[in-house]
Structure formats: C-alpha cells, structure tokens
Amino acid sequence: IETTRLQSWNYGNDGMYFVTICTKNRKNYFGEIVETSCMTSEIGLVAHNEWYKTPEIRPDMNLELGEFVVMPNHIHGIIIIGGCRDAMHCVST
C-alpha cells in the first residue's frame, strides 16, 4: 500500500508514535468480537506478549510503551522513542 509516512520526517527521531499493524488481508487472526468484547486468540496473545518485549529487543532505542490494544485483525499502540513523554516537546520546529 502507499505509505502514509511523512517523507521529510526521520522516524528514528525521539518522539511519541501511534502504530497500527494489520493482519494480511485483514483476517481475524488475533481474535473475534463476542458481544462487545474482543476474545483474543492464541496468536493474539502472542502479539500482545511480543509488544511488551519490544524495549528488551531494542535497548539501544530507549523505548517506552504507551497504551496498546489487540483487535481481531490489527493492533494499535503508542511507542515512545528516546523517553520523550511530552508530545509538544517532541514536535520538530
């Protein structure tokens, strides 16, 4: 798909980033909606657990994790690079 990334921005810069990762063909690999809740599948639990391992895997990036949610066919999360918790402080001028 065409990228939605800002071409002039270096995504390795310190900052707070909102991340969405979708499954191939948007298949419900991570779980299913039952009534009003997402019932996470085994692979959904793997995705959940791997998200929390990210700072261990990349200690060189000084990562912090913000909110995170697993949906049936995608995940959403906030990742903070460089310990930059103040969003306005991280905005490039």
Side-chain angles (χ1 to χ4, degrees):
I1 64 172
E2 187 174 323
T3 184
T4 58
R5 290 180 173 217
L6 179 63
Q7 296 302 306
S8 62
W9 180 255
N10 177 350
Y11 285 86
N13 287 343
D14 289 0
M16 298 175 75
Y17 296 92
F18 180 77
V19 177
T20 299
I21 301 171
C22 299
T23 61
K24 184 174 182 179
N25 299 322
R26 304 257 176 156
K27 297 235 181 202
N28 289 350
Y29 293 119
F30 296 147
E32 62 182 72
I33 300 295
V34 176
E35 294 185 19
T36 60
S37 298
C38 180
M39 301 305 293
T40 309
S41 67
E42 187 173 334
I43 196 162
L45 290 173
V46 170
H48 179 271
N49 292 336
E50 290 301 313
W51 171 263
Y52 289 104
K53 291 180 184 176
T54 304
E56 294 173 33
I57 294 168
R58 296 302 307 266
D60 57 312
M61 293 185 70
N62 189 24
L63 300 177
E64 292 181 49
L65 301 177
E67 296 297 319
F68 173 73
V69 64
V70 176
M71 301 300 290
N73 64 5
H74 64 285
I75 61 172
H76 291 296
I78 296 173
I79 193 160
I80 301 113
I81 298 176
C84 190
R85 284 209 150 282
D86 179 357
M88 291 310 293
H89 175 72
C90 294
V91 173
S92 174
T93 56

